């Protein structure tokens, strides 16, 4: 894999060999001590987190990643959880809260804020290569310059760091700017270029252009519920984009603001999402909380070594998923899919089960 263009050298192994290299056994061996170390670091630096661990009786040692104590991701909506002094907080990220909900608040110091874009770039380098590609964005420019950024706007801004000659598919009124897209393709359409957009926006606006996007590499995420309502799954999404605009290099990803910088990326052949070497997933049975075996759906737990300024290294999401296989795909490690969000009733049930953890904070 090529190194990034320009004079900035780095000794990070991710820049030399990529971040999709570890089989599951080796991943467990590498991640477990680092995650256990982060658990102790946050225990001592974040009093609410320490009270949660005391309430659930979690003291280690831990024999497996699945034994590490997890936090419900919604706790970042209701509690201030940070492991650095307030004066060292460099940036506070917020998620997009649904109506009536508080957004999550994630506290980053300078080191954590610097690691996030670097590891995001290292992850995407597996499919984009080592240089910044011309970038077509399936959105409007206004979404990335609003006074208060939505999750969509923050996603666009974060991805823009990985591209150049940014061209937006939609004009300020939200209508397709076909002339701008044609101009972009005249400049860059004969060599690889990056396309980014949220899944439903891509589906809605790119297919009808009638233009050749065959040199594009599409990175997309979110918005599957609206497509599911139209009976469009990942396989149909790929088929239609290939047939209607020649787009075949397509990569979905899964991520969240509570583990900013960590994304789980779809492999070149589709068939599931993969974990970068600094992260993993555990699928948990929502009744027993034990790890579910491959093929059995459950709640997705995400783990990552990136959250150093707040205790977000082991999080139980409110998303349902399933592991399809282990060390059996294009890249090593677990290959999984996200099946959808918990219903409101299911989410309340999980919250009741975890009530003691919330009270302890």
């Amino acid at each position: 894999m090529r190194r990034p263009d320009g004079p900035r050298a780095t000794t990070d192994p991710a820049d030399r060999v990529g971040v999709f290299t570890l089989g599951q056994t080796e991943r467990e061996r590498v991640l477990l001590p680092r995650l256990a170390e982060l658990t102790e670091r946050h225990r001592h630096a974040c009093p609410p987190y320490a009270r949660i661990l005391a309430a659930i009786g979690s003291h280690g040692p831990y024999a497996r990643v699945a034994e590490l104590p997890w936090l419900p991701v919604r706790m970042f909506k209701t509690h201030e959880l940070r492991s650095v002094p307030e004066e060292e907080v460099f940036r506070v990220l917020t998620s997009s809260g649904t109506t009536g909900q508080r957004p999550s608040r994630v506290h980053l110091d300078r080191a954590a804020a610097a690691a996030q874009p670097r590891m995001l770039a290292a992850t995407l380098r597996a499919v984009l290569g080592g240089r910044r590609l011309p970038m077509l964005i399936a959105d409007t420019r206004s979404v990335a310059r609003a006074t208060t950024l939505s999750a969509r706007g923050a996603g666009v801004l974060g991805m823009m760091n990985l591209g150049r000659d940014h061209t937006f598919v939609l004009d300020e009124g939200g209508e397709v700017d076909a002339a701008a897209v044609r101009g972009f393709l005249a400049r860059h359409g004969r060599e690889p270029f990056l396309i980014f957009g949220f899944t439903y926006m891509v589906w809605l606006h790119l297919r009808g252009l009638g233009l050749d996007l065959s040199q594009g590499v599409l990175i997309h995420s979110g918005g599957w519920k609206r497509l599911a309502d139209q009976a469009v799954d990942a396989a149909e999404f790929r088929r239609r984009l290939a047939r209607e605009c020649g787009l075949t290099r397509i990569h979905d990803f899964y991520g969240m603001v509570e583990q900013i910088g960590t994304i789980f990326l779809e492999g070149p052949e589709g068939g599931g999402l993969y974990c970068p070497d600094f992260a993993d997933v555990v699928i948990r049975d929502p009744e027993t909380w034990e790890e579910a075996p491959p093929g059995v759906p459950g709640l997705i737990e995400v783990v990552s070594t990136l959250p150093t300024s707040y205790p977000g290294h082991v999080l139980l999401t409110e998303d349902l998923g399933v592991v399809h296989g282990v060390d059996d795909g294009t890249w090593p490690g677990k290959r999984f899919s996200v099946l959808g969000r918990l219903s409101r009733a299911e989410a309340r049930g999980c919250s009741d089960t975890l009530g003691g953890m919330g009270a302890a904070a």
Side-chain angles (χ1 to χ4, degrees):
M1 185 174 296
R2 289 182 292 182
R3 297 287 299 275
D5 292 341
R8 185 180 64 86
T10 175
T11 58
D12 193 308
D15 286 324
R16 298 195 303 272
V17 299
V19 298
F20 292 100
T21 68
L22 296 180
Q24 194 59 36
T25 299
E26 180 68 4
R27 182 186 306 268
E28 182 92 11
R29 187 190 68 78
V30 170
L31 289 184
L32 180 58
R34 178 60 177 144
L35 292 166
E37 174 189 329
L38 281 172
T39 299
E40 295 311 305
R41 169 178 176 164
H42 295 311
R43 186 198 303 269
H44 290 99
C46 180
Y49 182 67
R51 291 195 289 271
I52 291 168
L53 295 191
I56 63 176
S58 178
H59 299 289
Y62 311 104
R64 300 170 55 241
V65 167
E67 293 181 7
L68 290 159
W70 40 263
L71 286 184
V73 71
R74 66 167 48 197
M75 293 198 74
F76 287 89
K77 299 180 184 295
T78 58
H79 296 72
E80 182 171 307
L81 298 168
R82 56 179 168 83
S83 302
V84 294
E86 188 171 1
E87 61 271 18
E88 292 183 15
V89 173
F90 174 67
R91 183 174 297 144
V92 178
L93 302 177
T94 58
S95 68
S96 57
T98 57
T99 303
Q101 282 190 338
R102 294 171 57 184
S104 294
R105 292 175 58 82
V106 176
H107 296 78
L108 304 178
D109 62 7
R110 287 185 178 274
Q116 175 264 320
R118 182 169 57 85
M119 298 313 292
L120 175 62
T123 302
L124 290 173
R125 198 170 296 134
V127 296
L128 297 179
R131 56 194 177 94
R132 294 172 67 186
L133 298 177
M135 185 172 182
L136 192 62
I137 302 166
D139 217 312
T140 176
R141 187 178 297 276
S142 61
V143 76
R145 63 185 183 201
T147 304
T148 302
L149 278 179
S150 64
R152 193 170 112 201
V156 169
L157 269 182
M159 287 295 298
M160 285 176 69
N161 292 325
L162 305 178
R164 60 182 175 86
D165 193 14
H166 308 104
T167 300
F168 288 81
V169 173
L170 306 182
D171 62 22
E172 294 294 339
E175 300 296 323
V176 172
D177 189 345
V181 178
R182 283 194 293 268
F184 176 90
L185 292 175
R187 296 190 301 275
H188 306 297
R190 290 177 295 278
E191 295 182 349
F193 58 89
L194 168 61
I195 307 173
F196 173 72
F198 286 81
T199 305
Y200 185 73
M201 300 288 285
V202 169
W203 178 258
L204 189 64
H205 298 298
L206 288 191
R207 292 182 304 116
L209 287 173
L211 298 173
D212 180 11
L213 303 179
S214 58
Q215 292 298 312
V217 182
L218 172 63
I219 307 295
H220 70 102
S221 184
W224 278 110
K225 184 180 185 304
R226 297 177 73 178
L227 291 188
D229 293 343
Q230 301 179 27
V232 176
D233 60 10
E236 178 66 7
F237 183 84
R238 283 174 164 266
R239 279 194 297 268
R240 292 282 293 277
L241 286 174
R243 185 172 73 239
E244 297 179 24
C245 50
L247 192 55
T248 58
R249 285 172 286 183
I250 297 173
H251 303 272
D252 191 8
F253 74 86
Y254 174 64
M256 61 201 69
V257 71
E258 293 86 359
Q259 279 192 358
I260 191 72
T262 303
I263 63 169
F264 301 89
L265 186 64
E266 186 178 28
E269 307 302 323
L273 304 164
Y274 293 83
C275 310
D277 291 347
F278 53 89
D280 205 357
V281 297
V282 176
I283 305 298
R284 291 198 179 274
D285 184 310
E287 294 184 1
T288 67
W289 303 113
E290 295 298 319
E291 183 175 11
V296 177
L299 281 170
I300 299 174
E301 174 189 302
V302 289
V303 304
S304 170
T305 61
L306 292 193
T308 54
S309 59
Y310 64 99
H313 57 306
V314 186
L315 298 178
L316 188 72
T317 75
E318 294 178 356
D319 295 320
L320 295 168
V322 62
V323 170
H324 300 297
V326 180
D327 295 334
D328 68 342
T330 304
W331 295 325
K334 292 175 182 173
R335 181 173 55 85
F336 73 102
S337 290
V338 180
L339 303 178
R341 298 281 288 180
L342 286 170
S343 70
R344 285 183 177 271
E346 289 171 319
R348 283 196 296 270
C350 290
S351 180
D352 294 342
T353 303
L354 302 171
M357 294 180 71

